[in-house]
Amino acid sequence: MMRCIYAQFVCLLGSVVSSSTGSDPYTIGVRLSSKDVKLSGSATFDCILTGAPKPVVSKWTIGPTTPVPSGFRYVYNTAKTRLNILSVTMKDQGDYYCHATTADGTNISAHAYLPVIDRFTILPQSDTVREGEDAILRCPVDKPTGVTIYWYFNSLPIVSSNSNYSIGGTYREELRVPKANRARNGKYECYAQNSQWSFKAHTNLKVIVEYPTSVVSHVAAETVIVGGDGSRELIAIIAGSVGGLVLLCAIFIVILVLKRWKA
C-alpha cells in the first residue's frame, strides 16, 4: 500500500510500486506548487512520475473517486501531468489525486491537499478627541471568524495590563484610550491574524489641545491722542483677548489715517 507524506503542502509518495515487466520501479508523487493559495488565486498540481517506461496519467480526482469538475477553470497540459485550477473558490479545497497506469497495467496514484486561504480585510477607524476625552480606535474585519487583533503603538505592543489603554470587542478589535492626552497622539497599528493568514493596518488618534482664552471683565478708558488743534480724543481700549487686540490695532490705524488726511 502506498502512503502519502505531507510536508508544507507537498505530498510525496512514501513507498515504491514495482513493475512486473521492467527492472526499474515506478514511483508517483503529487506536488502543489505553492503553499499559499488564496481565494480567487490559482493553484498548480504536478504529477511526478518515474520509471522506464514512464507511467501514463489516466485521470485526476478530488478524493479517491470524485472526478475533477470539467470547465474553463480546470486546465491540463497535453500529458495531463499538470493540473491548473484558476479563480480558486472555497469549494476547490480538498485532496487531489493523480491516477496513472504503468506499462504492465498497474494502477498507481498519489495525492496532495489544497488548502484555500479565505482572505479577510481590515476596515480601520480612527478617532479625534479633545484632550481629556475618551477615544476609541477600531479595526474590524469583514470575515472575523477565528480572527484575533493585536495592537501596537510606536512599534511597541499594547498589553492588557497597560493602564493607558483598554482592549475590548469580540476579537480585540477595539482599543479604548481613556482621558486621552498628547502622549497618546499618533499612529497605531493593528495586526489581524487567523490560522491561515495575517494582515496589518494603521489607524490614527488625534488629540486636540485647547488653550483657554483670558477674559478681562472691565474696560479701561483713557485719553491717548492730542489733536493738532488742542482737542483731545477719547479712545476706549478693550484688552485681554485676541479680538480686543485686533480691534485696538484697527482703531489706531483709522486714527493715523484721519490725522494724515487732516494734515
Side-chain angles (χ1 to χ4, degrees):
M1 178 179 292
M2 290 177 290
R3 181 171 56 90
C4 203
I5 300 174
Y6 293 90
Q8 294 184 342
F9 307 122
V10 177
C11 179
L12 299 177
L13 191 62
S15 61
V16 175
V17 176
S18 299
S19 168
S20 60
T21 58
S23 58
D24 294 334
Y26 298 111
T27 61
I28 181 173
V30 176
R31 180 179 63 216
L32 179 60
S33 60
S34 174
K35 65 179 181 179
D36 188 18
V37 179
K38 296 182 176 63
L39 199 65
S40 300
S42 62
T44 301
F45 290 97
D46 286 299
C47 191
I48 304 168
L49 300 160
T50 64
K54 186 177 293 185
V56 177
V57 175
S58 57
K59 62 181 178 180
W60 288 79
T61 61
I62 302 176
T65 58
T66 304
V68 171
S70 59
F72 72 94
R73 293 200 304 113
Y74 304 92
V75 182
Y76 301 93
N77 63 352
T78 304
K80 281 195 171 183
T81 56
R82 172 167 289 187
L83 168 61
N84 290 318
I85 304 176
L86 309 176
S87 302
V88 170
T89 69
M90 292 304 297
K91 292 182 178 180
D92 291 319
Q93 185 168 267
D95 261 320
Y96 284 76
Y97 282 69
C98 175
H99 301 264
T101 304
T102 66
D104 62 359
T106 301
N107 294 319
I108 57 177
S109 66
H111 60 101
Y113 185 75
L114 171 60
V116 180
I117 299 176
D118 190 3
R119 296 180 62 173
F120 54 80
T121 302
I122 301 179
L123 308 170
Q125 299 173 9
S126 300
D127 199 5
T128 300
V129 299
R130 292 182 175 86
E131 189 172 28
E133 294 180 342
D134 295 344
I136 301 178
L137 302 176
R138 302 187 75 249
C139 277
V141 300
D142 56 349
K143 299 173 182 177
T145 303
V147 171
T148 302
I149 303 289
Y150 299 93
W151 290 90
Y152 290 78
F153 181 52
N154 291 335
S155 300
L156 297 175
I158 298 175
V159 296
S160 301
S161 59
N162 190 332
S163 60
N164 293 315
Y165 303 97
S166 175
I167 300 175
T170 307
Y171 47 95
R172 295 167 48 95
E173 74 274 17
E174 290 185 355
L175 178 67
R176 296 179 179 271
V177 187
K179 297 182 180 179
N181 55 41
R182 283 171 287 182
R184 309 278 81 80
N185 192 75
K187 180 182 292 185
Y188 290 75
E189 296 176 339
C190 52
Y191 287 82
Q193 70 176 39
N194 58 18
S195 60
Q196 295 181 312
W197 198 54
S198 62
F199 192 72
K200 178 179 72 172
H202 294 93
T203 182
N204 295 284
L205 173 59
K206 183 177 181 180
V207 179
I208 300 175
V209 180
E210 294 183 341
Y211 297 95
T213 302
S214 300
V215 178
V216 177
S217 59
H218 66 278
V219 176
E222 58 179 290
T223 301
V224 295
I225 295 178
V226 178
D229 58 354
S231 63
R232 300 173 67 83
E233 301 175 14
L234 187 66
I235 300 175
I237 304 172
I238 303 174
S241 68
V242 174
L245 293 176
V246 172
L247 178 61
L248 181 59
C249 291
I251 292 173
F252 273 111
I253 292 173
V254 170
I255 293 175
L256 290 175
V257 172
L258 291 175
K259 287 178 64 65
R260 287 181 177 275
W261 181 74
K262 289 180 180 180

